[in-house]
Amino acid sequence: MRSNKPTYLGAVISVSGSSINIELTPKIKSGLIIIEGKAHKIGQVGSFIRIPQGYNDLFGIISETSESSVSEKNLVGEKRIVKVELVGESIGIDFERGISQFPSISDEAHLVTDKDLLKIYGKRENGQITIGRLSSSDSIQVSIDLDALVNKHSAILGSTGSGKSTSVASLLRSIVTDHKMDNIQLPSSRIVLFDIHGEYSAALSDVSNVYSISPKNGENKFIIPYWCVSPESLIEFLCGNNDSLKNKFIDYIVEEKVAYIQRNNTLGITPEQVTLYTPVPFRIKYIWYKLYFDDSVTWEEKEQETPAYSDQRGDYRTLTAPKFRPPAPGSTPPWSGGKGVWKKHLDLMKSRLLDNQFSFLLEPDEWHPNNENQIEKDIPALIQSWIGEDKPITIIDLSGMPSSRLDLLLGSILDVLFESAVWGRNLSFGMKQFPLLLVMEEAHRYLSKTNNGLAKEMVRRIAKEGRKFGVGSMLVSQRPSEIDETILSQCGTLFTLRINNSTDRSQVKSAMADGLASMMDSLPILKTGEAIVTGEAAKLPMRFKFRLPQEGQFPDSHDPKVSEMWSKTHRENSYESLINAWRQQQPLKDE
Ligand SMILES: Nc1ncnc2c1ncn2[C@@H]1O[C@H](COP(=O)(O)OP(=O)(O)OP(=O)(O)O)[C@@H](O)[C@H]1O
Ligand SMILES: [Mg+2]
């Protein structure tokens, strides 16, 4: 018998796994039902359906609608079928993802009203973060589960200008502040945001500390000492590729690290335990000098005991190379020694060591070992500054970074943080106890399929093992199709904003459960700041709008106003300051 309830839509006609077909009742042919004064559109792709099962309700999402003509027996007419993906059920008043029973043929299907939606979304449990409102119903707040969001990783994807950065700013603010969006509610949160374009300090200044390679007013200088960086990547960055040089470089690093341990024997490790990867300082200029010596030395004796210096013995502190008399022909001194094949590489290393652009890495202030091979500050102070300060978010502004070096830098920071998480896993303040969320903007730039750099290696590792050590990642990208698939597939929660490009869309679809892929067909028509969230942190796949940040809390990423600015009266400009900014590699402002 058919229900007379106003929400009645039709009956189940087939069930196949979690996909079911429902035949809509002819009564609702108009496509609209009015319930409690509100008009509801029927059979819209992406909208919810409820299937009562005694005390419980099953919930599903419409993924397809179709109409077919029928002519059975004496009945001629149209049949409207909707295909529905079952996504969860409510048991009593609790809503849960997943279903414990399937519907049967002829079960009733009902429209989901705001009241039902409140059942799904209304209860604000512990650990739920309100991030916006449903697109279909402004009165319903959307929340996600913070534990699942951080532990199972996430990605925010969308074409350029779809509102990713604004949404990330809004999401992070929703996480760390209360409803009023200004009081901090999670004071011990540890969020590190890698800001590739320098746009977030404007949006999150009150809840974050900003570290920058080229600090502006009130910002701290970002430093990562070269001796914390993966040695292989560092050598490649400094000298390019040369196997014999690399091997010798590695020997010297170990030698220098052992010397450091012998000098500073309070670290609790013995010289025998030191490896290339032990995170202790070494004197990099001294290594440059020794390599230069090896490459160019000549000897007074055949036994190679006294170097045949010419006028200049050189000085590692000022990067002055030693000079030797050229080898003599035949059996007379000076005898030849070095092969002279590393010069090009060592000159490159010298120019890197002198380049101001890289001082945050190669001249790391208090973290730079002095001539006595001692440092004023050690890694604990570094990590404290990144994750242990009073504000819940740390922004690392990498906007002055040459693109080619981004990988090394980001990879090294991730390396330092992840190693501390791994080795500090049993400590009461380690990341296993107080987890860390890493937000990575412009992920396609260093996580592409073809790139095999340090950053990608680290993100892969974090994606696979991060959960065990309390490190979660959130990737932000405008080109999901360019991101390595294994990394993207590890993202448990996907926030997908507008995506115009079909290759990117199919990439996102393929990362999603089959039945929900059809929901992604609406991706090109989403509004700016509107997204579909699917996966671990969301109770249900939802189309929703992120909370709009308040005035003054937007990232510094607004669109250029083409028509407005182009219509202004032409005036002469001096381009001096523009070129100064370029030369100084500093985005200067008007005076
Ligand atoms: N919810 C929103 N409502 C209205 N305007 C918005 C919203 N979100 C973002 N915008 C505006 O849209 C523009 C682009 O936003 P945003 O910089 O966040 O995009 P994006 O996806 O990060 O772009 P890109 O990929 O280039 O970094 C900005 O001018 C921003 O102010
Ligand atoms: Mg952006």
Side-chain angles (χ1 to χ4, degrees), residues 233-242 245 249 288 292 319 342-355 358 362 405:
S233 308
L234 179 72
I235 295 173
E236 198 185 314
F237 161 64
L238 288 172
C239 318
N241 273 323
N242 179 301
L245 175 65
F249 205 136
W288 172 83
Y292 211 102
L319 289 171
W342 296 339
K343 184 160 187 321
K344 185 179 78 184
H345 301 282
L346 293 172
D347 285 346
L348 173 66
M349 178 169 172
K350 178 174 171 177
S351 68
R352 291 265 198 255
L353 288 169
L354 291 173
D355 191 342
F358 299 115
L362 300 170
R405 298 294 151 222

CSV table of all heavy atoms in Angstrom, one decimal, residues 233-242 245 249 288 292 319 342-355 358 362 405:
chain,number,residue,atom,x,y,z
A,233,SER,N,70.9,15.3,-0.8
A,233,SER,CA,70.3,16.4,-1.5
A,233,SER,C,71.1,17.7,-1.4
A,233,SER,O,71.2,18.4,-2.3
A,233,SER,CB,68.9,16.7,-1.0
A,233,SER,OG,68.2,15.5,-0.9
A,234,LEU,N,71.7,17.8,-0.2
A,234,LEU,CA,72.5,19.0,0.0
A,234,LEU,C,73.7,19.0,-1.0
A,234,LEU,O,74.0,20.0,-1.6
A,234,LEU,CB,73.0,19.1,1.4
A,234,LEU,CG,73.9,20.3,1.8
A,234,LEU,CD1,73.1,21.5,1.8
A,234,LEU,CD2,74.6,20.1,3.1
A,235,ILE,N,74.4,17.9,-1.1
A,235,ILE,CA,75.6,17.8,-1.9
A,235,ILE,C,75.2,18.1,-3.4
A,235,ILE,O,75.9,18.9,-4.1
A,235,ILE,CB,76.2,16.4,-1.8
A,235,ILE,CG1,76.8,16.2,-0.4
A,235,ILE,CG2,77.4,16.3,-2.8
A,235,ILE,CD1,77.3,14.8,-0.1
A,236,GLU,N,74.1,17.5,-3.8
A,236,GLU,CA,73.6,17.8,-5.2
A,236,GLU,C,73.3,19.3,-5.4
A,236,GLU,O,73.7,19.8,-6.4
A,236,GLU,CB,72.4,16.9,-5.4
A,236,GLU,CG,72.1,16.7,-6.9
A,236,GLU,CD,70.8,16.0,-7.1
A,236,GLU,OE1,70.6,15.0,-6.5
A,236,GLU,OE2,70.1,16.5,-8.0
A,237,PHE,N,72.7,19.9,-4.4
A,237,PHE,CA,72.4,21.3,-4.5
A,237,PHE,C,73.7,22.1,-4.6
A,237,PHE,O,73.8,23.1,-5.4
A,237,PHE,CB,71.5,21.7,-3.3
A,237,PHE,CG,71.5,23.2,-3.1
A,237,PHE,CD1,71.0,24.0,-4.0
A,237,PHE,CD2,72.0,23.7,-1.9
A,237,PHE,CE1,70.9,25.4,-3.7
A,237,PHE,CE2,72.0,25.0,-1.6
A,237,PHE,CZ,71.5,25.9,-2.5
A,238,LEU,N,74.6,21.8,-3.8
A,238,LEU,CA,75.9,22.6,-3.7
A,238,LEU,C,76.8,22.3,-4.9
A,238,LEU,O,77.4,23.3,-5.4
A,238,LEU,CB,76.6,22.2,-2.4
A,238,LEU,CG,76.0,22.7,-1.1
A,238,LEU,CD1,76.8,22.2,0.1
A,238,LEU,CD2,76.0,24.3,-1.0
A,239,CYS,N,77.0,21.1,-5.3
A,239,CYS,CA,78.0,20.8,-6.3
A,239,CYS,C,77.5,20.2,-7.6
A,239,CYS,O,78.3,19.8,-8.4
A,239,CYS,CB,79.0,19.8,-5.7
A,239,CYS,SG,79.5,20.1,-4.0
A,240,GLY,N,76.2,20.0,-7.7
A,240,GLY,CA,75.8,19.2,-8.9
A,240,GLY,C,76.1,17.8,-8.8
A,240,GLY,O,76.3,17.3,-7.6
A,241,ASN,N,76.2,17.1,-9.9
A,241,ASN,CA,76.4,15.6,-9.8
A,241,ASN,C,77.8,15.2,-10.2
A,241,ASN,O,78.3,15.5,-11.3
A,241,ASN,CB,75.5,14.9,-10.8
A,241,ASN,CG,74.1,14.7,-10.2
A,241,ASN,OD1,74.1,14.3,-9.0
A,241,ASN,ND2,73.1,14.8,-10.9
A,242,ASN,N,78.5,14.6,-9.3
A,242,ASN,CA,79.8,14.0,-9.6
A,242,ASN,C,80.0,12.9,-8.5
A,242,ASN,O,80.1,13.2,-7.3
A,242,ASN,CB,80.9,15.1,-9.5
A,242,ASN,CG,82.3,14.5,-9.8
A,242,ASN,OD1,82.7,13.6,-9.1
A,242,ASN,ND2,82.9,15.0,-10.8
A,245,LEU,N,83.3,13.0,-6.2
A,245,LEU,CA,83.2,14.1,-5.3
A,245,LEU,C,82.2,13.8,-4.2
A,245,LEU,O,82.5,14.1,-3.0
A,245,LEU,CB,82.8,15.4,-6.1
A,245,LEU,CG,82.6,16.7,-5.3
A,245,LEU,CD1,83.9,17.1,-4.6
A,245,LEU,CD2,82.0,17.8,-6.1
A,249,PHE,N,82.9,13.8,-0.3
A,249,PHE,CA,82.1,14.8,0.5
A,249,PHE,C,81.5,14.0,1.7
A,249,PHE,O,81.6,14.4,2.9
A,249,PHE,CB,81.1,15.4,-0.4
A,249,PHE,CG,80.6,16.7,0.0
A,249,PHE,CD1,80.4,17.7,-0.9
A,249,PHE,CD2,80.2,17.0,1.4
A,249,PHE,CE1,79.9,19.0,-0.5
A,249,PHE,CE2,79.7,18.2,1.7
A,249,PHE,CZ,79.6,19.2,0.8
A,288,TRP,N,84.6,22.2,2.2
A,288,TRP,CA,84.9,22.8,0.8
A,288,TRP,C,86.4,22.9,0.6
A,288,TRP,O,86.9,22.6,-0.4
A,288,TRP,CB,84.2,24.2,0.7
A,288,TRP,CG,84.6,24.9,-0.5
A,288,TRP,CD1,84.1,24.7,-1.8
A,288,TRP,CD2,85.7,25.9,-0.7
A,288,TRP,NE1,84.7,25.6,-2.7
A,288,TRP,CE2,85.7,26.3,-2.0
A,288,TRP,CE3,86.5,26.5,0.2
A,288,TRP,CZ2,86.6,27.2,-2.5
A,288,TRP,CZ3,87.4,27.4,-0.2
A,288,TRP,CH2,87.5,27.8,-1.6
A,292,TYR,N,88.8,21.1,-2.0
A,292,TYR,CA,89.6,21.9,-2.9
A,292,TYR,C,91.1,21.5,-2.9
A,292,TYR,O,91.8,21.3,-3.9
A,292,TYR,CB,89.5,23.4,-2.6
A,292,TYR,CG,89.6,24.2,-3.8
A,292,TYR,CD1,88.4,24.8,-4.4
A,292,TYR,CD2,90.8,24.5,-4.4
A,292,TYR,CE1,88.5,25.5,-5.6
A,292,TYR,CE2,90.9,25.3,-5.5
A,292,TYR,CZ,89.8,25.8,-6.1
A,292,TYR,OH,89.9,26.5,-7.2
A,319,LEU,N,86.6,31.3,2.6
A,319,LEU,CA,86.5,30.5,1.3
A,319,LEU,C,87.6,30.9,0.3
A,319,LEU,O,87.4,31.1,-0.9
A,319,LEU,CB,85.1,30.7,0.7
A,319,LEU,CG,83.9,30.1,1.4
A,319,LEU,CD1,82.6,30.5,0.8
A,319,LEU,CD2,84.0,28.6,1.4
A,342,TRP,N,87.4,18.3,-10.1
A,342,TRP,CA,86.2,18.8,-9.3
A,342,TRP,C,86.1,20.3,-9.3
A,342,TRP,O,85.1,20.9,-8.8
A,342,TRP,CB,86.3,18.4,-7.8
A,342,TRP,CG,86.3,16.9,-7.6
A,342,TRP,CD1,85.8,16.0,-8.5
A,342,TRP,CD2,86.8,16.2,-6.4
A,342,TRP,NE1,86.0,14.7,-7.9
A,342,TRP,CE2,86.6,14.8,-6.7
A,342,TRP,CE3,87.4,16.6,-5.2
A,342,TRP,CZ2,86.9,13.9,-5.7
A,342,TRP,CZ3,87.7,15.7,-4.3
A,342,TRP,CH2,87.5,14.3,-4.6
A,343,LYS,N,87.0,21.0,-10.0
A,343,LYS,CA,87.1,22.5,-9.9
A,343,LYS,C,85.7,23.1,-10.2
A,343,LYS,O,85.2,24.0,-9.4
A,343,LYS,CB,88.1,23.0,-10.8
A,343,LYS,CG,88.3,24.5,-10.6
A,343,LYS,CD,89.6,25.0,-11.1
A,343,LYS,CE,89.8,26.5,-10.7
A,343,LYS,NZ,88.7,27.4,-10.9
A,344,LYS,N,85.1,22.7,-11.3
A,344,LYS,CA,83.8,23.3,-11.7
A,344,LYS,C,82.8,23.2,-10.6
A,344,LYS,O,82.0,24.1,-10.2
A,344,LYS,CB,83.4,22.6,-13.0
A,344,LYS,CG,82.2,23.1,-13.6
A,344,LYS,CD,81.9,22.3,-14.9
A,344,LYS,CE,81.2,21.0,-14.5
A,344,LYS,NZ,81.0,20.1,-15.6
A,345,HIS,N,82.7,22.0,-10.0
A,345,HIS,CA,81.7,21.7,-9.0
A,345,HIS,C,82.0,22.5,-7.7
A,345,HIS,O,81.1,23.0,-7.0
A,345,HIS,CB,81.7,20.2,-8.6
A,345,HIS,CG,81.5,19.3,-9.8
A,345,HIS,ND1,80.2,19.1,-10.3
A,345,HIS,CD2,82.3,18.6,-10.6
A,345,HIS,CE1,80.2,18.3,-11.4
A,345,HIS,NE2,81.5,18.0,-11.6
A,346,LEU,N,83.3,22.6,-7.3
A,346,LEU,CA,83.7,23.3,-6.1
A,346,LEU,C,83.5,24.8,-6.3
A,346,LEU,O,83.2,25.5,-5.3
A,346,LEU,CB,85.1,22.9,-5.7
A,346,LEU,CG,85.2,21.5,-5.3
A,346,LEU,CD1,86.7,21.1,-5.1
A,346,LEU,CD2,84.4,21.2,-4.0
A,347,ASP,N,83.7,25.3,-7.5
A,347,ASP,CA,83.4,26.7,-7.7
A,347,ASP,C,81.9,27.0,-7.6
A,347,ASP,O,81.5,28.0,-7.0
A,347,ASP,CB,83.8,27.1,-9.1
A,347,ASP,CG,85.4,27.3,-9.2
A,347,ASP,OD1,86.0,27.3,-8.1
A,347,ASP,OD2,85.9,27.3,-10.3
A,348,LEU,N,81.1,26.0,-8.0
A,348,LEU,CA,79.6,26.2,-7.9
A,348,LEU,C,79.3,26.2,-6.4
A,348,LEU,O,78.5,27.0,-5.9
A,348,LEU,CB,78.9,25.0,-8.6
A,348,LEU,CG,77.4,25.0,-8.3
A,348,LEU,CD1,76.7,26.2,-9.0
A,348,LEU,CD2,76.8,23.7,-8.9
A,349,MET,N,79.9,25.3,-5.6
A,349,MET,CA,79.7,25.2,-4.2
A,349,MET,C,80.0,26.5,-3.5
A,349,MET,O,79.3,27.0,-2.7
A,349,MET,CB,80.5,24.1,-3.6
A,349,MET,CG,80.3,23.9,-2.1
A,349,MET,SD,81.0,22.4,-1.5
A,349,MET,CE,80.9,22.6,0.3
A,350,LYS,N,81.2,27.1,-3.9
A,350,LYS,CA,81.6,28.4,-3.3
A,350,LYS,C,80.6,29.5,-3.6
A,350,LYS,O,80.2,30.2,-2.7
A,350,LYS,CB,83.0,28.8,-3.8
A,350,LYS,CG,83.4,30.1,-3.3
A,350,LYS,CD,84.9,30.4,-3.7
A,350,LYS,CE,85.2,31.8,-3.4
A,350,LYS,NZ,86.6,32.1,-3.7
A,351,SER,N,80.1,29.5,-4.8
A,351,SER,CA,79.2,30.6,-5.2
A,351,SER,C,77.8,30.4,-4.4
A,351,SER,O,77.2,31.3,-4.0
A,351,SER,CB,78.9,30.7,-6.7
A,351,SER,OG,78.3,29.6,-7.1
A,352,ARG,N,77.4,29.1,-4.2
A,352,ARG,CA,76.2,28.9,-3.4
A,352,ARG,C,76.5,29.4,-2.0
A,352,ARG,O,75.6,30.0,-1.3
A,352,ARG,CB,75.9,27.4,-3.4
A,352,ARG,CG,75.5,26.8,-4.7
A,352,ARG,CD,74.0,26.8,-4.7
A,352,ARG,NE,73.5,25.9,-5.7
A,352,ARG,CZ,73.0,26.3,-6.9
A,352,ARG,NH1,72.9,27.6,-7.2
A,352,ARG,NH2,72.5,25.4,-7.8
A,353,LEU,N,77.7,29.0,-1.4
A,353,LEU,CA,77.9,29.4,0.0
A,353,LEU,C,77.9,30.9,0.2
A,353,LEU,O,77.7,31.4,1.3
A,353,LEU,CB,79.3,28.8,0.4
A,353,LEU,CG,79.3,27.3,0.7
A,353,LEU,CD1,80.7,26.7,0.8
A,353,LEU,CD2,78.4,26.9,1.9
A,354,LEU,N,78.3,31.6,-0.9
A,354,LEU,CA,78.3,33.1,-0.8
A,354,LEU,C,77.0,33.8,-1.1
A,354,LEU,O,76.8,35.0,-0.9
A,354,LEU,CB,79.4,33.6,-1.7
A,354,LEU,CG,80.9,33.3,-1.3
A,354,LEU,CD1,81.8,33.7,-2.4
A,354,LEU,CD2,81.2,33.9,0.0
A,355,ASP,N,76.1,33.0,-1.7
A,355,ASP,CA,74.8,33.6,-2.2
A,355,ASP,C,73.9,34.0,-1.1
A,355,ASP,O,73.5,33.1,-0.3
A,355,ASP,CB,74.2,32.6,-3.2
A,355,ASP,CG,73.0,33.2,-3.9
A,355,ASP,OD1,72.5,34.3,-3.5
A,355,ASP,OD2,72.6,32.6,-4.9
A,358,PHE,N,70.6,32.2,-0.1
A,358,PHE,CA,70.5,30.9,0.6
A,358,PHE,C,71.1,31.0,2.0
A,358,PHE,O,71.3,30.0,2.6
A,358,PHE,CB,71.3,29.8,-0.2
A,358,PHE,CG,70.7,29.6,-1.5
A,358,PHE,CD1,71.5,29.8,-2.7
A,358,PHE,CD2,69.4,29.1,-1.7
A,358,PHE,CE1,70.9,29.6,-3.9
A,358,PHE,CE2,68.9,28.8,-3.0
A,358,PHE,CZ,69.6,29.1,-4.1
A,362,LEU,N,72.5,28.2,4.5
A,362,LEU,CA,74.0,27.9,4.6
A,362,LEU,C,74.7,28.8,5.6
A,362,LEU,O,75.9,28.6,5.9
A,362,LEU,CB,74.6,28.2,3.1
A,362,LEU,CG,74.0,27.2,2.1
A,362,LEU,CD1,74.4,27.6,0.7
A,362,LEU,CD2,74.4,25.8,2.4
A,405,ARG,N,64.5,25.3,-6.0
A,405,ARG,CA,65.0,24.9,-4.7
A,405,ARG,C,63.9,24.6,-3.7
A,405,ARG,O,64.2,24.2,-2.6
A,405,ARG,CB,65.9,26.0,-4.1
A,405,ARG,CG,67.1,26.3,-5.0
A,405,ARG,CD,68.0,25.1,-5.0
A,405,ARG,NE,68.8,25.1,-6.2
A,405,ARG,CZ,69.0,24.0,-6.9
A,405,ARG,NH1,68.6,22.9,-6.5
A,405,ARG,NH2,69.7,24.1,-8.0
